[in-house]
Amino acid sequence: MSEKKASVWQGFKAFLMRGNVVDLAVAVVIGAAFTNIVNSVVKGIINPLIGAVGTKNLDSYHSCLKGPCTGTGDCATGVRILWGSVLGATLTFVITAAVVYFLMVLPMSKYLAKVEARRKAKEGTQEIVELTELEVLKEIRDELVAQRGSGHNAR
């Protein structure tokens, strides 16, 4: 049974030592910190801008499906549709997606495209050199064959 525990432990250690697990852990930590930044931007900048038209707190926007809708919190009556909360969450999502795309995905895509272009350029140069060498070797072969042919005719 100790051999089984040892193999399970070794398997677990191998799993943890994979690069993917470490990368995923880093991504989760950065994502959690990034969420706080985005939430602060939404609550500190976006909500007040929207609040210039109405209220600063989007959560207070609602519609009454079945009335009367009175009171707040635990004392609320009626059936409310809290579309302000959905709007706030949607804004948070859109801002998060925009920041991730414009600050992370787009620059990384451009960088990878440049790396790929350099790799293809190197491959193209190497192919040209290889073709040139191949042509030279063919010419040498043809010349040797021609010299052999003319040497045999002279005898």
Side-chain angles (χ1 to χ4, degrees), residues 115-127:
V115 169
E116 183 67 18
R118 286 183 196 148
R119 186 186 65 76
K120 285 185 178 180
K122 284 182 181 179
E123 283 182 1
T125 304
Q126 193 173 19
E127 287 177 9

Side-chain angles (χ1 to χ4, degrees), residues 13-65:
K13 278 177 48 179
F15 170 74
L16 289 179
M17 298 311 285
R18 281 190 209 160
N20 297 349
V21 174
V22 174
D23 292 343
L24 183 60
V26 170
V28 168
V29 170
I30 290 174
F34 187 69
T35 299
N36 289 333
I37 293 170
V38 171
N39 287 338
S40 296
V41 168
V42 170
K43 288 181 182 177
I45 297 173
I46 304 298
N47 287 357
L49 289 175
I50 293 174
V53 177
T55 178
K56 289 183 181 179
N57 185 6
L58 291 179
D59 293 338
S60 65
Y61 288 109
H62 66 276
S63 296
C64 190
L65 188 61

Side-chain angles (χ1 to χ4, degrees), residues 60-98:
S60 65
Y61 288 109
H62 66 276
S63 296
C64 190
L65 188 61
K66 182 178 179 185
C69 290
T70 58
T72 58
D74 292 337
C75 300
T77 61
V79 177
R80 296 176 188 214
I81 296 177
L82 304 174
W83 58 269
S85 298
V86 175
L87 179 62
T90 303
L91 285 172
T92 301
F93 172 77
V94 168
I95 291 169
T96 304

Side-chain angles (χ1 to χ4, degrees), residues 96-113:
T96 304
V99 169
V100 167
Y101 179 76
F102 289 113
L103 294 182
M104 295 178 188
V105 173
L106 192 61
M108 184 58 97
S109 296
K110 288 182 179 181
Y111 171 74
L112 292 176

